[in-house]
Amino acid sequence: MVPPPAQRNPVAIEFPARSVLLTEEARALLPQLVARSKTASAIQVMGFCDKAQASNAREIAIGRGIAVRNELVRLGVPAAKLKVRYTTTEPQRHAVDLTFEEAGATPAK
């Protein structure tokens, strides 16, 4: 059985190509993650944008990560738990992955 999106690790937040704006689906999903963030020791926010599809892929990937981070902070997640990273090397990937690192668990690589 596949867990619901809010229970997966990582949790994928999809974006339209070349966009850094949160979709309605993302705005509905992020509040569901606030309770989960309370037990996490850290949350990696990995922004993705395919460099073959956008000349400014680095800026888009970072912008997506920052958009998700800012919304989580607005919802009450401590900014100190959130670490934004990015990659532009995954083909066809326009998303942010949230990886929850639980206290006492081995961090994701």
Side-chain angles (χ1 to χ4, degrees):
M1 178 188 250
V2 176
Q7 294 178 5
R8 296 179 189 154
N9 201 21
V11 175
I13 309 293
E14 299 297 328
F15 282 79
R18 297 184 198 90
S19 176
V20 299
L21 300 176
L22 293 172
T23 64
E24 290 303 315
E25 292 84 5
R27 290 191 184 279
L29 178 59
L30 290 173
Q32 298 174 42
L33 302 174
V34 174
R36 187 172 177 190
S37 73
K38 293 180 188 331
T39 61
S41 59
I43 304 166
Q44 180 175 284
V45 182
M46 177 67 81
F48 295 87
C49 185
D50 183 355
K51 67 182 175 184
Q53 295 183 327
S55 61
N56 60 339
R58 178 181 178 271
E59 290 80 13
I60 293 170
I62 292 169
R64 290 172 175 163
I66 290 171
V68 170
R69 176 188 130 348
N70 288 349
E71 183 66 8
L72 287 171
V73 168
R74 188 187 73 75
L75 292 168
V77 176
K81 284 190 177 188
L82 301 163
K83 183 170 186 174
V84 177
R85 296 178 173 219
Y86 76 94
T87 184
T88 60
T89 59
E90 290 199 27
Q92 305 292 320
R93 192 81 201 276
H94 298 284
V96 167
D97 278 354
L98 295 171
T99 302
F100 292 81
E101 297 174 7
E102 304 301 330
T106 303
K109 293 184 181 184

